[in-house]
Amino acid sequence: MTSDPRSRPPSFTPQSGRESRPEAADGVIKVGPDGSGGTTPPPPPARPASRVTRQSSGPVPVDRSGGRGRARAGSAQPPAIPPASVTRAPRAAADERRPATSPTTRAPGRTPGGSGGGRGPGDGARPGTAPGGAAPGRIRLRKGRIVAVVASLVVVGMIAWPIGLVAWANGKLDHVEALSDTKGTPGTTYLIAGSDSRSDGVVKDGTSGARTDTIMLLQVPDSGTTSLISIPRDSYVKIPGHGSNKINAAYSFGGAPLLVKTVEKLTSMHVDHYVEVGFGGVEDIVDAVGGVHLCLDYDVNDKKSELKWKAGCHDVGGKTALAFSRMRYSDPTSDFGRTDRQRQLVNAIAAKAAKPSLLFKPATQVKLVDAGTAVLQVDDGTNVVDLAKLGMAFKAANGKDGVTGLPPISDRDYRPGNVGSSVRLDPDKTPAFFSKVMNGKLKAGTVNSESSSKG
């Protein structure tokens, strides 16, 4: 059954010797130069059989069913009408569209799939390629695109890794109930307690229970100097519900919550974050950062802490660093010297962990976070981001524009009668001192110690 010739859109110039369309009036569309009709010019000379030329430059309807550049028979969308100055050439029969040439022969300018007369993405494709695409099984990427892909992966990796690390570290933090419901005060206040608990098995000296060998108040004011003030553990203070005693007894009586309340009563400052560090785990942290650089200006051979030290500065590992932070019986200033050394150790760890090279050492990051979170206890509202801020504040306090030192002391061997030798904070100066700490009013330097340069 022969289909109506008019349903076939013009596509190719008929070859010589082919039968033209019927000459009936309803079988040929005649368009004159002015668009009103005229005589149909003779068809152009036939080209060699091996070349096929597109005649129409107008758009060709796209077959949505999968074919490109062909009008579907009976389609509701008519073929595009070429400009008035161009005469359509009769279309060759379906079985005569292509000359009997090699399958790889293509007309100049033809796009695989025949989507138009201009050049397209398929121009210049290698012989044997599938219509409208690259060779099967082959992916072609330009160099620029490869660079973009690699750069994207690097950026995603740099962003996703820290996010994943923070989420993982948050899940490892040990949270405890610690904070009180007292009214907030200006700035951000961190209470850092160094616990001497032997529960981790690192230190074996027959001592049971837990005490706070180190109590530090880190204050980041709304404006002014950042301060890191060490409160001597033997400071004789009032402990809510327990009368007066050494401040480290507050931890023994009521754990972190009572220690927080005791410090708040002493300083009139609200504690925003509580961080407890088990110094028994210092060994693992120091080893995780690859050792630290510590200084002490006298020789030590202390049996209790097992510290053996030659006067000067040394790069040490975790075991020596732990002994360095615990030693006090061979220290001429006892707990005061130990507090200074513990602060030196924490500062050395923070400086080592803050090196930019650590960003490119994921294994070291994991090891450090694992060791750090294992020896930390924080209040319920504190997370890894807060600890990062604490680290930056700690560094600022130990810098040239920060403040470190002790509260004003009136007696370092105060003996009230019920607790033995203790430290008496100056009752006249202490309230005003902590008010300056809270508001960032202290001058930069070291305060209230043998090495004080400014008061």
Side-chain angles (χ1 to χ4, degrees), residues 6 17 19 55 65 94 97 106 115 149 198 205 267 279 302 320 345 380 391 400 403 426 441:
R6 290 173 295 177
E19 183 179 341
Q55 181 68 22
S65 64
R97 286 179 190 155
R106 297 189 183 277
S115 61
V149 170
R198 272 53 168 184
D205 59 2
T267 64
F279 274 99
D302 188 73
T320 302
L345 173 59
D380 292 331
K400 64 178 182 178
V403 176
D426 193 315
K441 299 299 183 181

Side-chain angles (χ1 to χ4, degrees), residues 319-372:
K319 184 176 181 179
T320 302
L322 175 60
F324 183 90
S325 68
R326 293 184 58 240
M327 188 271 293
R328 66 171 176 144
Y329 290 100
S330 297
D331 192 315
T333 59
S334 188
D335 281 333
F336 296 100
R338 179 166 67 170
T339 296
D340 288 340
R341 282 181 280 106
Q342 288 177 347
R343 186 168 59 239
Q344 181 187 164
L345 173 59
V346 174
N347 198 39
I349 294 173
K352 199 71 176 289
K355 286 189 174 182
S357 59
L358 189 63
L359 295 173
F360 304 97
K361 299 178 180 179
T364 303
Q365 293 177 29
V366 170
K367 187 176 180 180
L368 180 58
V369 170
D370 198 29

Side-chain angles (χ1 to χ4, degrees), residues 1-59:
M1 180 176 180
T2 303
S3 60
D4 187 346
R6 290 173 295 177
S7 66
R8 290 179 261 171
S11 297
F12 305 101
T13 302
Q15 305 299 315
S16 61
R18 295 185 181 177
E19 183 179 341
S20 302
R21 291 194 179 188
E23 291 295 325
D26 58 346
V28 179
I29 300 175
K30 298 179 180 181
V31 181
D34 58 357
S36 60
T39 304
T40 303
R47 294 179 179 272
S50 61
R51 300 176 67 88
V52 180
T53 304
R54 240 350 244 278
Q55 181 68 22
S56 173
S57 61

Side-chain angles (χ1 to χ4, degrees), residues 265-416:
K265 185 174 183 64
L266 171 66
T267 64
S268 298
M269 297 167 62
H270 172 77
V271 173
D272 299 293
H273 299 284
Y274 173 81
V275 179
E276 183 178 321
V277 182
F279 274 99
V282 165
E283 183 174 340
D284 291 336
I285 298 177
V286 171
D287 287 338
V289 297
V292 292
H293 189 71
L294 300 175
C295 299
L296 189 60
D297 59 2
Y298 55 88
D299 295 342
V300 176
N301 188 3
D302 188 73
K303 293 183 179 180
K304 286 187 175 291
S305 66
E306 299 181 353
L307 176 66
K308 294 182 179 180
W309 189 272
K310 185 72 174 177
C313 298
H314 306 282
D315 292 324
V316 301
K319 184 176 181 179
T320 302
L322 175 60
F324 183 90
S325 68
R326 293 184 58 240
M327 188 271 293
R328 66 171 176 144
Y329 290 100
S330 297
D331 192 315
T333 59
S334 188
D335 281 333
F336 296 100
R338 179 166 67 170
T339 296
D340 288 340
R341 282 181 280 106
Q342 288 177 347
R343 186 168 59 239
Q344 181 187 164
L345 173 59
V346 174
N347 198 39
I349 294 173
K352 199 71 176 289
K355 286 189 174 182
S357 59
L358 189 63
L359 295 173
F360 304 97
K361 299 178 180 179
T364 303
Q365 293 177 29
V366 170
K367 187 176 180 180
L368 180 58
V369 170
D370 198 29
T373 54
V375 298
L376 290 179
Q377 283 190 325
V378 299
D379 66 87
D380 292 331
T382 295
N383 56 36
V384 171
V385 175
D386 295 316
L387 293 179
K389 293 179 180 178
L390 183 154
M392 291 186 290
F394 196 98
K395 184 177 180 180
N398 282 276
K400 64 178 182 178
D401 297 323
V403 176
T404 59
L406 304 166
I409 297 173
S410 59
D411 191 347
R412 297 194 177 205
D413 188 22
Y414 181 59
R415 299 177 180 271

